[in-house]
Amino acid sequence: MVTRKEVARRARVSVGTVSNVINHKDIVQPKTVERVRQAIRELNYVPDQIAKSLAQRRTNHIGVAIYEMTNPYHAEVVRGLESYAAKKGYIVSTFFLNNNAEKKMDEICERRLAGLVNFMTNDLPHSFINILKSHKVVLANFNEDESFIFQHDYSAAMKTYFEALKQLGKRNIAYISTADRLRFLADTRGVAYYRYVSEFGMAEDDALVVFNDRYDMPSQTIGYLGCQRLLESGARPDAIFVTNDIAAMGVLRRLCDNGIRCPEDVAVIGCDDIALGKVFIPAISTITVNSVAYGEAIAETMIARIENPEANPYKKVVLEAQPCFRESLCADALPLSFKCK
């Protein structure tokens, strides 16, 4: 088995220099880096990650815990996260926790991850989080005092949409949430919704807001059933905000089944700006959050703490979202000040 010492001898450098190149440290001259990489290729050297993990007491392995595989948004975020992580010598694994969750959480703990990102909608057990903390796992999107919080500020985008809806003469603005009441009220979208309904003089009617307490359903089903509940309540919305684009597709399907036209009768606004939303009919007006850049920001922040915990304390990272007008909001009828994409 080829050793690091043999690579150093072939490249005419020290073992430490070989380690710096393998660990992607930016302190080695480019010519030397290429010489080391050439020696690695010639000798077919493969770093012993198990030995490295034992020495460091951690792996270069970041996990992502998600609940819903049917929403492409998560895949787009993970793509950005993995892209940055790979440049730094880290691998990324996705853990799908909608079934056998207890067994999978045990396996996550056994892997001794360097970091774990939480994209779960429901709460994870305190015992699980405590084990991760005891193993010095860097956490993202858990509790604010013990992990990084990566959050989008939807306020400005929501305000722009309310301005546009007022221009279009819309007054009964509904919201279909994929979360329960408490989570919706804690979300900046929920806060902005109630604020701008009041500020813009829209109808204030509890029947216009539909919450969800079923986390075993995919977003498209939540959107479909949420729209059904909204219509059966007797509410007559002329615009509907939806927590994500996949749920918005479910809403659009239910409207179609009821013979309600979008955007002529009811405008629909999603969130996340997934690629599929651009080719859906009608193309979905949405709130764009640049999911790939979001993933890259998560990876960069977490890896900085993994490699230097003392210099990188936990904090909240806020990214501002932007409106993205398309067909589901009568974008062509809006003044030029509202840019259509």
Side-chain angles (χ1 to χ4, degrees):
M1 193 171 178
V2 178
T3 66
R4 198 165 290 197
K5 185 180 290 187
E6 290 174 90
V7 173
R9 189 181 303 120
R10 174 69 67 94
R12 305 185 307 281
V13 298
S14 69
V15 174
T17 298
V18 175
S19 296
N20 287 333
V21 172
I22 290 171
N23 293 325
H24 304 274
K25 298 289 180 64
D26 299 326
I27 57 175
V28 184
Q29 293 294 325
K31 289 183 179 179
T32 306
V33 170
E34 182 51 42
R35 200 161 73 242
V36 171
R37 288 177 178 168
Q38 179 65 28
I40 288 172
R41 289 191 293 268
E42 290 174 356
L43 295 171
N44 293 320
Y45 172 70
V46 178
D48 187 343
Q49 292 297 333
I50 295 176
K52 180 180 177 182
S53 298
L54 289 171
Q56 294 182 336
R57 303 181 71 86
R58 66 168 173 81
T59 63
N60 278 19
H61 191 175
I62 295 174
V64 180
I66 65 173
Y67 190 88
E68 183 178 25
M69 290 292 282
T70 55
N71 191 340
Y73 169 72
H74 294 121
E76 293 173 10
V77 174
V78 172
R79 179 161 64 92
L81 200 159
E82 194 279 334
S83 175
Y84 183 90
K87 295 174 186 175
K88 296 295 184 179
Y90 286 74
I91 63 169
V92 176
S93 294
T94 301
F95 299 93
F96 186 33
L97 299 185
N98 81 321
N99 56 59
N100 296 321
E102 188 172 335
K103 182 175 184 297
K104 291 179 180 178
M105 284 188 279
D106 287 343
E107 292 176 352
I108 289 173
C109 293
E110 291 168 4
R111 290 175 186 269
R112 294 299 182 103
L113 299 175
L116 182 65
V117 186
N118 180 22
F119 286 143
M120 298 290 290
T121 307
N122 54 329
D123 293 327
L124 292 170
H126 289 297
S127 57
F128 172 62
I129 298 171
N130 288 336
I131 292 172
L132 295 175
K133 288 165 58 181
S134 71
H135 290 173
K136 309 296 185 186
V137 178
V138 173
L139 303 176
N141 292 342
F142 286 85
N143 298 325
E144 190 166 337
D145 59 343
E146 57 194 9
S147 79
F148 289 111
I149 301 296
F150 294 91
Q151 190 176 76
H152 289 103
D153 185 352
Y154 299 99
S155 301
M158 292 280 288
K159 183 177 182 180
T160 300
Y161 271 120
F162 269 91
E163 290 170 346
L165 292 169
K166 189 164 186 176
Q167 289 269 1
L168 292 169
K170 308 287 187 180
R171 187 170 184 278
N172 297 323
I173 315 301
Y175 200 113
I176 295 176
S177 173
T178 61
D180 57 37
R181 180 182 178 85
L182 286 176
R183 285 182 172 83
F184 179 67
L185 294 175
D187 189 307
T188 58
R189 284 166 291 192
V191 173
Y193 170 79
Y194 283 112
R195 174 183 175 184
Y196 295 127
V197 160
S198 176
E199 283 189 12
F200 284 87
M202 305 299 191
E204 298 186 48
D205 183 353
D206 289 342
L208 288 169
V209 184
V210 178
F211 306 109
N212 171 60
D213 56 7
R214 288 280 307 277
Y215 293 110
D216 58 339
M217 296 189 302
S219 287
Q220 64 270 21
T221 304
I222 294 172
Y224 187 90
L225 296 179
C227 186
Q228 179 177 307
R229 285 172 55 196
L230 178 67
L231 298 175
E232 289 175 349
S233 73
R236 290 293 176 263
D238 46 26
I240 304 173
F241 282 96
V242 194
T243 297
N244 65 55
D245 290 341
I246 293 294
M249 292 176 186
V251 170
L252 287 164
R253 179 71 228 187
R254 184 68 215 189
L255 291 175
C256 179
D257 288 350
N258 280 54
I260 299 172
R261 301 170 300 167
C262 177
E264 294 86 352
D265 302 322
V266 178
V268 174
I269 304 154
C271 186
D272 293 344
D273 193 18
I274 62 172
L276 187 59
K278 299 174 185 177
V279 296
F280 199 79
I281 298 175
I284 297 174
S285 293
T286 188
I287 299 176
T288 183
V289 294
N290 194 338
S291 50
V292 174
Y294 178 48
E296 290 174 346
I298 292 173
E300 182 178 6
T301 305
M302 292 184 72
I303 290 172
R305 180 176 172 94
I306 290 167
E307 298 188 347
N308 193 351
E310 301 303 322
N312 295 281
Y314 283 131
K315 62 182 178 180
K316 181 181 289 188
V317 179
V318 180
L319 295 88
E320 187 168 326
Q322 303 292 330
C324 185
F325 291 91
R326 297 197 182 105
E327 295 166 353
S328 69
L329 187 69
C330 288
D332 291 342
L334 289 167
L336 290 177
S337 57
F338 296 99
K339 261 211 147 158
C340 303
K341 297 181 182 180

